[in-house]
């Protein structure tokens, strides 16, 4: 599926009809998370301005066969507002760190969104009827003369244009001292966890006034702090298992059946360090920025600064597969440290059948690796190359000193301000969503679309 | 004029109906709560044809409105025309039974269960049972979870063919894809088993129970433990061993601590359900294991059950079982590493003394009590102290008093004010157990010291404590021991302490009676009306208002009135306000 990638739907800014392709955007427009729901019919993005935008896939149309599968804006709402913690004199950003959809339970959809401190549960529902008929006033709100009211009228529900309503259902606040980096819904459908730098809490979706602390790595003396939690996720099928990653490059698998407080992990996944490759940056670049269970629940995908790794749950000693995402940056770590890029947190994603993985890079490039054929590809999410229904051309970065072919890009001309941190893969089909700064690109496998 | 009359009565109803769709939630809620008024005004015919269809589609509303609606509809039978028409209430309740909010769904199910009783057997099969089937085979799990709660109410009243269908539906839900539905089914398993014929309990329920008890989801397995209690109660003793015990044994040793916790938590119920023989052979070792569990939460839950479990052991060899099997585990728990385990044990351990009698208590339990009284965790000590009455009955408190005192003193001076607060609350109990002499000698000073604690909540509790002590020991005791000390504080340089005097007087005047109040307390209060701090002065006004009813009218007129009148002209606004309030309440103007 790797080679021909077709642009299915362009980004949100084209919808807003901006004349200038590189029109300036504000900080608030930067997309900070992307997530498909469980069926893939809906896609949610969150941004630094605290907004959540939900896209819905258009149903297949017989008149315009190509319009099938396009994602259009379904609803937009303000999830978080900037706040101020008066006790600690800290500003709390409204930036949406993560969005997670709940399994669908009735006609409405539910999602969790979180900023650094507060998690909120939202209900997204449709309404197509509204009540009509008052006793004491007419529909415009003019008061009727009471003497004309001689009988009682019960309102009746009349059809109206479809309206999408988003309402806040629960606010899970005041449980995190540090910044929330992950939320994950359990396969029992009734609990979820939220992880910050030092602790992981377990919540019941119906209860907002208490949560249980299941992991706490805060040392008694903060000066002894050597690592932080960077991401955490529940196993897709086993309600008792979850994994969390650390800034030291390790993964810990915990079993909630063993104890109430999972301080002792049941498995520790760690690759022994190669002493010859050790440098000042070793620890920074080995920090895990994202961890994802495969759909099967057998494997774990992690991302660190330069590589993506696949781990087998049954092998703790080393990863099963290691993929170089942009090894050519190894010689440039010094300057990447100076401009803080080395701390960028790239996310990673599995395809529906766990055979391909995807993760982002710089210069609006993103990478895909086929685990079976071991082929890989670099693609670019940009306005020029992504005309609707155009096929994406593979890109190649030429390492410093290497032979340069036509169309190759040299490492030195990569634009480090254009980074693809957030990506998502449709749960069953070959449709991917790529967040590039303030633009969202949705691409679809060409073969896939021709089959329809 | 008849028309005008009609309008008058129509108007409030018209407002209520219009407010059903007001933008303000409170007004909508208010209207829903008066739904019966609306229905009464509309009459049964219009309620059925207009109001109920409207309500059926009103599921977009806020949870609190939906909750109120679900509750109202459970009492609506007469308003739609009596049992004959009760089935008209099914559509709105059906839509409420599918909303995502658990409390609303539960309330809708509760109302459905209620009105199911008002259906005739024919209506039950024609209207109610199809609704249950629709819910049970609904697309979304919210409707299927609601269905689980409805089987047991219709099963006893339908024909045997329908019964077979209902059993089939329940079986299907027990193996539903979503854990939500399996949890709902597991939690209703016991209730459903109760209405089933015994043969079906053995053939159907047991296999469902076994399956749910080995579900992959912890949250389902732990609910099966609850079902175990009801199922075991239904089965004859000879079947328990083969049908229930394998599952129960497995649950008590489950890999997940949450399941074992559930077993520990339900242990007394389980014990009663399986009877004395199985208790002796199976539950005693199981209980020992739970008391030694590796997870503290499980140990704490089991520790909580120690007394109840021992109490319910068969009497013939109760003492022997406790002494050889339970007590060794209890001894270990006294020095457990987890303070919640120790404090759970401390809250019940004293109860063992009544079961074991005087000699065993002195020989075996007393050392444990004493160890817990010296525990580093204040909660453990507090729990022991709060249950002193059990021991007092068996061995008398003197055995303990030597160790008790240092424990109390230490708690009384604990750095955490909540701990101090807790021990204050036990003071009246302790005073009753220890007697007035011991109290005067050892504890009185503590009680007085709390009055000048730097935390207001402690001073307030100390005041209340004095009142309870006076109620216990009488006015004469008060006059000799505490009143002088309290009144002495009126000259304290700290105005907060001076105010404490007033608060104490407020609390004590009634218990002390007219004589002490008039002769000893009143002069002090009146003198304080010249205090330089306004807060003290307005508290004088409040105190006078409070003790006024205890005084005789002469004292009120000649002593209280002039002082209040003077305070009513005070320069401070609050003082004036409270003085005037006192004057009007005491009717002195």
């Amino acid at each position: 599926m790797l080679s021909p990638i077709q642009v299915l739907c362009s980004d949100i800014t084209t919808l807003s009809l901006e004349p200038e392709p590189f029109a300036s955007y504000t900080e608030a427009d930067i997309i900070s998370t992307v997530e498909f729901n469980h069926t893939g019919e809906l896609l949610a993005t969150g941004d630094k301005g605290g907004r959540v935008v939900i896209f819905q896939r258009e149903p297949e149309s017989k008149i315009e066969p190509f319009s099938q599968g396009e994602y259009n804006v379904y609803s937009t709402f303000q999830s978080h507002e900037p706040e101020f913690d008066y006790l600690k004199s800290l500003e709390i950003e409204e930036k949406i760190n993560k969005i997670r959809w709940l399994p669908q339970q009735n006609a409405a959809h539910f999602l969790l969104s979180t900023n650094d401190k507060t998690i909120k549960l939202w209900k997204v529902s449709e309404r197509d009827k509204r009540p009509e008929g008052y006793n004491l006033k007419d529909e415009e709100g003019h008061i009727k003369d009471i003497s004309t009211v001689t009988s009682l009228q019960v309102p009746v529900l009349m059809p109206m244009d479809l309206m999408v309503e988003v309402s806040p259902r629960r606010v899970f606040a005041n449980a995190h001292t540090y910044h929330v980096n992950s939320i994950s819904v359990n396969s029992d459908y009734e609990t979820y966890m939220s992880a910050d730098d030092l602790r992981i809490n377990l919540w019941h979706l119906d209860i907002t006034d208490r949560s249980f602390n299941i992991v706490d790595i805060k040392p008694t003396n903060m000066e002894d702090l050597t690592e932080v939690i960077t991401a955490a996720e529940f196993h897709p099928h086993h309600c008792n298992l979850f994994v969390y990653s650390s800034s030291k490059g390790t993964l810990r698998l915990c079993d909630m059946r063993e104890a109430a407080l999972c301080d002792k992990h049941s498995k520790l996944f760690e690759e022994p360090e190669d002493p010859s490759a050790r440098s000042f940056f070793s620890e920074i670049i080995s920090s895990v920025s994202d961890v994802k269970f495969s759909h099967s629940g057998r494997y774990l995908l992690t991302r660190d600064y330069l590589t993506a790794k696949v781990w087998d749950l049954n092998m703790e000693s080393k990863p099963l597969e290691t993929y170089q995402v942009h090894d050519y940056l190894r010689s440039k770590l010094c300057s990447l440290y100076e401009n803080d890029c080395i701390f960028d947190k790239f996310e990673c994603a599995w395809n529906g059948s766990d055979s391909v993985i995807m993760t982002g890079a710089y210069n609006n490039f993103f990478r895909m690796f086929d685990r079976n054929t071991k082929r890989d590809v670099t693609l670019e999410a940009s306005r020029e190359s992504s005309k609707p229904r155009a096929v994406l051309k593979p890109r190649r970065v030429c390492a410093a000193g290497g032979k340069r072919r036509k169309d190759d890009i040299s490492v030195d001309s990569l634009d480090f301000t254009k980074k693809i941190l957030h990506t998502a893969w449709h749960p069953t089909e070959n449709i991917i969503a790529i967040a590039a700064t303030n633009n969202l690109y949705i691409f679809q496998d060409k073969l896939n679309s021709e089959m329809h | 004029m008849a028309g005008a009359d009609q309008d008058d009565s129509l108007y409030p109803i018209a407002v209520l109906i219009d407010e059903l769709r007001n933008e303000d939630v409170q007004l909508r809620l208010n209207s829903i709560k008066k739904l019966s008024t609306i229905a009464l005004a509309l009459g049964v015919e219009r309620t059925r044809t207009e109001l109920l269809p409207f309500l059926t589609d009103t599921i977009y509303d806020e949870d609190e409105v939906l909750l109120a609606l679900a509750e109202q509809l459970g009492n609506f039978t007469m308003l739609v025309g009596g049992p004959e028409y009760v089935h008209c209430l099914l559509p709105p309740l059906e839509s409420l039974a599918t909303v995502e909010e658990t409390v609303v769904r539960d309330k809708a199910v509760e109302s459905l269960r209620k009105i199911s009783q008002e259906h005739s057997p024919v209506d039950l099969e024609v209207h109610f049972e199809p609704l249950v089937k629709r819910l049970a085979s609904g697309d979304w799990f919210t409707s299927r979870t609601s269905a689980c709660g409805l089987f047991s109410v219709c099963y006893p009243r339908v024909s045997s063919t329908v019964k077979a269908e209902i059993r089939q539906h329940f079986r299907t839900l027990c193996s539903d894809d979503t854990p939500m539905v399996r949890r709902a089914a597991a939690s209703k398993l016991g209730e459903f088993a109760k209405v089933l014929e015994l043969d079906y309990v053995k053939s159907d329920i047991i296999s469902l129970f076994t399956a749910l008890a080995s579900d992959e989801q912890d949250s389902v397995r732990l609910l099966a433990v609850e079902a175990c209690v009801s199922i075991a109660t239904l089965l004859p003793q000879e079947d328990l061993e083969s049908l229930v015990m394998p599952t129960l044994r497995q649950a008590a040793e489950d890999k997940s601590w949450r399941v074992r916790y559930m077993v520990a938590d339900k242990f007394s119920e389980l014990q009663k359900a399986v009877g004395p023989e199985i208790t002796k052979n199976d539950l005693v070792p199981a209980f020992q294991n739970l008391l030694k569990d590796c997870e503290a939460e499980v140990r704490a839950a089991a520790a909580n059950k120690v007394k109840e479990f021992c109490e319910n052991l068969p009497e013939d060899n109760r003492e022997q079982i406790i002494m050889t099997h339970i007590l060794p585990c209890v001894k270990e728990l006294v020095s457990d590493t987890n303070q919640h385990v120790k404090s759970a044990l401390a809250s019940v351990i004293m109860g063992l003394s009544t079961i074991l009698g005087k000699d065993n208590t002195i020989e075996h339990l007393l050392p444990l009590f004493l160890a817990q009284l010296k525990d580093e965790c204040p909660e453990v000590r507090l729990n022991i102290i709060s249950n002193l009455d059990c021991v007092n009955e068996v061995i008398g408190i003197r055995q303990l008093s030597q160790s008790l005192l240092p424990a109390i003193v230490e708690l009384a001076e604990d750095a955490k004010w909540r701990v101090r607060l807790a021990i204050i609350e036990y003071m009246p109990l302790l005073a009753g157990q220890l007697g007035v002499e011991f109290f005067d000698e050892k504890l009185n000073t503590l009680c007085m010291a709390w009055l000048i604690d730097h935390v207001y909540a402690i001073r307030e509790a100390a005041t209340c404590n004095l009142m309870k002590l006076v109620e216990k020991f009488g006015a004469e005791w008060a006059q000799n021991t505490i009143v002088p000390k309290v009144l002495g504080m009126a000259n304290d340089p700290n105005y907060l302490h001076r105010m404490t005097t007033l608060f104490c007087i407020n609390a004590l005047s009634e218990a002390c009676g007219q004589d002490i109040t008039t002769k000893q307390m009143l002069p002090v209060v009146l003198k304080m009306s010249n205090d330089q701090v306004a807060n003290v002065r307005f508290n004088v006004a409040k105190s006078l208002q409070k003790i006024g009813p205890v005084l005789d009218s002469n004292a009120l007129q000649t002593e209280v009135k002039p002082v209040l009148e003077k305070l009513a002209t005070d320069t401070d606004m609050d003082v004036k306000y409270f003085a005037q309030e006192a004057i009007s309440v005491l009717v002195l103007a």
Side-chain angles (χ1 to χ4, degrees):
Chain A
M1 55 83 31
L2 274 176
S3 35
I5 299 279
Q6 193 184 31
V7 179
L8 191 77
C9 158
S10 58
D11 48 52
I12 5 177
T13 40
T14 18
L15 294 169
S16 62
L17 296 172
E18 280 178 82
E20 178 78 32
F22 291 104
S24 62
Y25 57 88
T26 63
E27 177 85 2
D29 297 328
I30 297 176
I31 297 172
S32 53
T33 182
V34 188
E35 185 78 9
F36 279 102
N37 78 340
H38 295 263
T39 57
E41 292 307 298
L42 298 175
L43 171 70
T45 63
D47 65 26
K48 286 198 171 176
R51 284 162 303 195
V52 171
V53 182
I54 301 172
F55 298 85
Q56 186 186 38
R57 195 180 189 190
E58 292 302 317
E60 198 163 355
S61 150
K62 289 209 171 71
I63 312 145
E64 289 178 85
F66 281 113
S67 74
Q68 189 269 327
E70 275 197 24
Y71 283 80
N72 289 323
V73 174
Y74 180 63
S75 178
T76 304
F77 64 97
Q78 189 74 33
S79 168
H80 287 71
E81 302 275 358
E83 281 176 89
F84 192 78
D85 182 339
Y86 294 96
L87 286 177
K88 298 193 184 107
S89 287
L90 277 180
E91 286 195 43
I92 302 168
E93 278 185 82
E94 66 273 34
K95 179 188 156 215
I96 308 295
N97 290 345
K98 280 286 183 301
I99 290 175
R100 286 291 177 267
W101 292 89
L102 264 53
Q104 202 171 356
Q105 52 180 331
N106 59 11
H109 296 270
F110 290 82
L111 63 84
L112 289 167
S113 63
T114 186
N115 67 350
D116 285 341
K117 299 285 171 193
T118 306
I119 304 142
K120 295 183 179 178
L121 175 66
W122 296 91
K123 176 185 180 179
V124 185
S125 57
E126 294 182 352
R127 176 188 281 212
D128 58 0
K129 283 184 193 150
R130 65 187 180 89
E132 270 179 22
Y134 282 110
N135 284 298
L136 300 173
K137 55 184 176 187
D138 57 31
E139 281 307 309
E140 279 77 47
H142 303 298
I143 306 291
K144 285 187 203 166
D145 180 3
I146 296 171
S147 62
T148 65
V149 180
T150 51
S151 67
L152 293 170
Q153 191 190 351
V154 178
V156 273
L157 288 155
M158 303 300 280
M160 64 163 189
D161 289 341
L162 187 71
M163 196 169 84
V164 179
E165 286 182 318
V166 179
S167 51
R169 301 295 292 189
R170 309 245 193 277
V171 177
F172 305 90
N174 304 324
H176 284 281
T177 316
Y178 306 94
H179 290 182
V180 177
N181 54 45
S182 311
I183 42 179
S184 175
V185 181
N186 191 290
S187 61
D188 67 9
Y189 289 28
E190 68 174 1
T191 55
Y192 76 92
M193 68 172 167
S194 56
D196 67 24
D197 298 337
L198 297 177
R199 298 193 179 103
I200 301 178
N201 292 330
L202 182 70
W203 301 83
H204 191 287
L205 282 163
D206 285 343
I207 299 166
T208 55
D209 60 356
R210 60 176 178 270
S211 68
F212 295 94
N213 182 234
I214 48 174
V215 173
D216 188 347
I217 63 164
K218 185 173 183 278
T220 9
N221 182 357
M222 278 299 265
E223 280 166 19
D224 301 334
L225 186 70
T226 56
E227 66 176 326
V228 295
I229 299 168
T230 54
E233 194 182 44
F234 270 122
H235 190 280
H237 317 302
H238 296 303
C239 61
N240 52 302
L241 292 178
F242 68 92
V243 66
Y244 68 92
S245 61
S246 92
S247 56
K248 278 189 159 175
T250 57
L251 290 176
R252 287 182 177 84
L253 184 79
C254 300
D255 187 345
M256 295 200 295
R257 290 185 301 192
E258 282 169 17
L261 187 64
C262 300
D263 276 348
K264 295 187 206 87
H265 52 263
S266 26
K267 284 187 178 184
L268 175 68
F269 300 87
E270 190 172 23
E271 186 166 32
E273 195 185 23
D274 176 6
S276 64
R278 198 175 159 71
S279 76
F280 172 73
F281 303 109
S282 300
E283 191 163 324
I284 303 174
I285 63 168
S286 66
S287 173
V288 177
S289 53
D290 194 19
V291 56
K292 294 270 165 66
F293 271 103
S294 64
H295 294 86
S296 66
R298 168 83 187 268
Y299 304 105
L300 284 164
L301 170 61
T302 60
R303 174 67 208 262
D304 55 39
Y305 192 60
L306 293 178
T307 68
K309 289 172 182 159
V310 174
W311 303 77
D312 188 330
L313 238 50
N314 302 321
M315 184 167 74
E316 296 165 67
S317 56
K318 60 176 197 294
L320 204 59
E321 297 147 23
T322 301
Y323 300 98
Q324 299 299 335
V325 178
H326 37 206
D327 203 44
Y328 42 79
L329 295 182
R330 202 173 280 279
S331 57
K332 301 186 66 82
L333 291 176
C334 225
S335 55
L336 289 165
Y337 181 75
E338 274 158 22
N339 62 15
D340 272 353
C341 280
I342 202 166
F343 300 107
D344 283 334
K345 293 187 80 177
F346 291 98
E347 292 174 5
C348 50
W350 294 90
N351 75 336
S353 60
D354 299 337
S355 60
V356 183
I357 59 169
M358 169 174 67
T359 188
Y362 290 106
N363 207 46
N364 276 351
F365 287 171
F366 60 96
R367 305 265 287 143
M368 289 181 173
F369 302 92
D370 188 313
R371 298 179 56 211
N372 300 324
T373 62
K374 302 295 172 198
R375 284 167 55 197
D376 66 278
V377 65
T378 304
L379 297 166
E380 182 182 5
S382 73
R383 279 166 186 279
E384 299 83 66
S385 62
S386 319
K387 299 285 175 284
R389 267 164 291 285
V391 173
L392 282 186
K393 217 163 47 172
R395 306 300 303 257
R396 198 170 160 269
V397 178
C398 158
K403 230 183 204 170
R404 188 160 169 191
R405 281 184 283 179
K406 188 176 167 283
D407 286 345
D408 276 7
I409 299 147
S410 91
V411 178
D412 295 321
S413 55
L414 290 175
D415 185 345
F416 289 104
T417 62
K418 292 179 179 167
K419 37 194 142 194
I420 291 180
L421 301 176
H422 314 286
T423 62
W425 206 309
H426 187 288
T428 48
E429 293 176 38
N430 281 329
I431 297 174
I432 55 173
I434 308 285
T437 328
N438 60 325
N439 294 323
L440 177 71
Y441 297 88
I442 298 175
F443 301 108
Q444 182 177 30
D445 176 2
K446 193 180 173 196
L447 294 172
N448 184 9
S449 67
E450 277 170 355
M451 263 163 30
H452 283 287
Chain B
M1 290 311 285
D5 279 353
Q6 199 186 4
D7 285 351
D8 281 352
S9 62
L10 273 186
Y11 183 74
I13 306 290
V15 172
L16 276 182
I17 295 181
D18 285 359
E19 283 179 354
L20 279 175
R21 40 179 296 212
N22 197 293
E23 279 178 19
D24 183 343
V25 185
Q26 276 312 314
L27 292 178
R28 290 205 302 276
L29 188 59
N30 185 44
S31 269
I32 288 286
K33 285 187 172 158
K34 292 190 177 130
L35 209 55
S36 52
T37 315
I38 297 176
L40 214 54
L42 288 171
V44 290
E45 176 75 35
R46 291 191 70 193
T47 299
R48 291 199 300 265
T49 55
E50 292 176 45
L51 186 60
L52 290 180
F54 172 70
L55 295 174
T56 306
D57 286 327
T58 318
I59 52 164
Y60 302 112
D61 217 322
E62 302 281 333
D63 301 334
E64 44 187 330
V65 177
L66 297 182
L67 183 66
L69 177 59
E71 186 170 6
Q72 291 286 317
L73 291 175
N75 302 315
F76 238 59
T77 310
M78 290 324 288
L79 295 164
V80 292
E84 200 182 331
Y85 294 99
V86 67
H87 60 85
C88 297
L89 295 172
L90 298 180
L93 284 171
E94 181 175 355
S95 61
L96 287 169
T98 62
V99 301
E100 68 280 354
E101 191 57 49
T102 320
V103 280
V104 177
R105 276 203 319 269
D106 288 351
K107 187 56 87 179
V109 169
E110 195 186 311
S111 287
L112 280 170
R113 288 165 68 111
K114 205 165 164 185
I115 63 166
S116 73
Q117 303 306 322
E118 281 150 359
H119 282 70
S120 66
V122 177
D123 278 351
L124 202 68
E125 285 199 21
V126 177
H127 298 286
F128 197 88
E129 203 269 339
L131 162 118
V132 179
K133 272 194 221 162
R134 269 198 308 280
L135 287 174
S137 47
D139 284 340
W140 306 114
F141 69 72
T142 45
S143 82
R144 301 200 298 275
T145 51
S146 292
C148 293
L150 296 174
F151 293 118
S152 64
V153 289
C154 46
Y155 189 84
R157 300 177 59 210
V158 292
S159 67
S160 55
T161 21
V162 180
K163 276 184 176 172
E165 281 174 31
I166 290 180
R167 288 197 304 274
Q168 181 53 44
H169 274 293
F170 194 81
R171 253 200 304 277
T172 316
L173 292 182
C174 282
S175 52
D176 196 274
D177 286 340
T178 66
M180 283 291 192
V181 179
R182 295 203 303 277
R183 273 199 295 277
S187 66
K188 299 292 177 197
L189 186 66
E191 174 190 292
F192 188 54
K194 277 183 195 157
V195 299
L196 243 59
E197 298 79 358
L198 186 59
D199 283 347
Y200 289 121
V201 172
K202 287 188 196 172
S203 62
D204 283 29
I205 296 290
I206 293 298
S207 65
L208 295 175
F209 167 62
T210 318
L212 290 169
S214 45
D215 196 279
E216 56 168 20
Q217 291 276 341
D218 300 355
S219 53
V220 178
R221 288 202 306 281
L222 62 88
L223 287 170
V225 175
E226 267 189 287
C228 185
V229 177
S230 343
I231 294 172
T233 329
L234 296 172
L235 292 174
Q237 190 72 30
E238 64 269 22
D239 290 328
L240 283 177
E241 180 54 46
S242 61
L243 298 180
V244 175
M245 286 317 288
T247 310
L248 181 57
R249 277 187 210 111
Q250 176 195 318
E253 287 166 9
D254 198 280
K255 260 191 102 170
S256 168
W257 69 268
R258 288 169 66 198
V259 177
R260 298 195 306 273
Y261 172 91
M262 201 65 171
V263 175
D265 196 47
K266 298 277 163 223
F267 217 83
S268 307
E269 286 95 326
L270 288 167
Q271 182 187 10
K272 279 177 206 147
V274 299
E277 263 323 291
I278 295 181
T279 296
K280 256 190 271 179
N281 302 334
D282 276 274
L283 293 195
V284 172
F287 193 62
Q288 282 175 291
N289 286 339
L290 292 171
L291 288 173
K292 290 186 228 160
D293 199 278
C294 57
E295 171 57 45
E297 299 278 346
V298 179
R299 290 199 305 279
N304 256 322
K305 301 287 165 190
V306 163
K307 182 195 158 202
E308 235 178 306
F309 180 75
C310 294
E311 244 170 13
N312 295 329
L313 285 170
E315 269 185 51
D316 48 346
N317 44 8
R318 181 162 73 184
E319 193 175 316
Q320 181 257 329
I321 294 176
I322 298 175
M323 296 307 290
T324 50
H325 299 289
I326 307 296
L327 205 58
C329 301
V330 169
K331 276 182 185 157
E332 274 174 47
L333 290 183
V334 168
S335 48
D336 199 277
T337 48
N338 185 295
Q339 66 175 59
H340 299 292
V341 177
K342 286 187 292 188
S343 78
L345 182 70
S347 66
V348 299
I349 189 173
M350 311 288 269
L352 290 181
S353 48
T354 28
I355 305 171
L356 288 177
K358 191 172 176 179
D359 294 341
N360 279 327
T361 301
I362 293 175
E363 192 184 340
H364 299 283
L365 293 176
L366 197 57
L368 303 182
F369 301 158
L370 296 178
Q372 291 216 300
L373 269 179
K374 295 194 189 85
D375 199 277
E376 56 182 7
C377 164
E379 208 180 320
V380 176
R381 283 174 269 151
L382 275 174
N383 282 345
I384 290 288
I385 290 173
S386 64
N387 287 299
L388 278 177
D389 43 344
C390 321
V391 188
N392 200 7
E393 287 161 23
V394 182
I395 57 167
I397 209 150
R398 291 286 158 193
Q399 296 271 5
L400 272 174
S401 58
Q402 283 313 311
S403 314
L404 206 51
L405 195 64
I408 295 172
V409 173
E410 207 178 310
L411 288 167
E413 287 160 1
D414 197 283
K416 293 194 189 73
W417 68 268
R418 284 179 194 283
V419 175
R420 298 201 297 277
L421 184 65
I423 188 74
I424 293 177
E425 277 158 8
Y426 292 125
M427 267 301 148
L429 173 85
L430 280 171
Q433 301 285 328
L434 294 165
V436 67
E437 275 167 47
F438 187 91
F439 186 87
D440 279 346
E441 198 179 314
K442 318 273 185 186
L443 299 178
N444 197 14
T445 30
L446 281 179
C447 290
M448 301 317 288
W450 282 320
L451 288 175
I452 52 168
D453 197 284
H454 61 273
V455 176
Y456 177 75
I458 299 298
R459 297 198 299 274
E460 193 189 23
T463 311
C464 183
N465 172 44
L466 287 186
M467 182 179 76
K468 288 182 185 151
L469 289 175
V470 175
E471 281 167 3
K472 204 163 238 122
F473 294 149
E476 197 184 326
W477 173 82
Q479 194 175 6
N480 295 330
T481 50
I482 58 171
V483 172
K485 288 185 193 169
V486 165
L487 297 181
M489 281 164 59
N491 302 317
D492 198 288
N494 185 336
Y495 84 99
L496 291 172
H497 298 172
R498 298 202 294 278
M499 285 195 344
T500 306
T501 300
L502 291 172
F503 297 146
C504 287
I505 289 174
N506 293 348
L508 294 176
S509 62
E510 206 169 321
C512 286
Q514 196 184 52
D515 196 43
I516 299 178
T517 309
T518 318
K519 287 192 182 138
Q520 299 191 10
M521 294 178 179
L522 185 61
V524 175
V525 178
L526 295 174
K527 200 174 138 221
M528 288 170 86
S529 68
N530 298 317
D531 201 288
Q532 58 188 5
V533 178
N535 293 36
V536 177
R537 293 200 302 278
F538 79 65
N539 272 298
V540 166
K542 284 165 110 177
S543 285
L544 289 173
Q545 181 185 331
K546 178 91 197 182
I547 65 173
V550 186
L551 303 170
D552 64 41
S553 60
N554 183 32
L556 275 176
Q557 289 297 334
T558 59
E559 297 185 66
V560 175
K561 192 177 171 186
V563 170
L564 282 176
E565 278 168 352
K566 195 184 85 196
L567 289 174
T569 60
D570 200 283
T571 48
D572 186 276
M573 251 176 53
D574 294 320
V575 179
K576 263 193 224 173
Y577 172 82
F578 285 110
Q580 275 155 5
E581 193 184 69
I583 290 173
S584 75
V585 170
L586 297 172
V587 211
L588 294 174

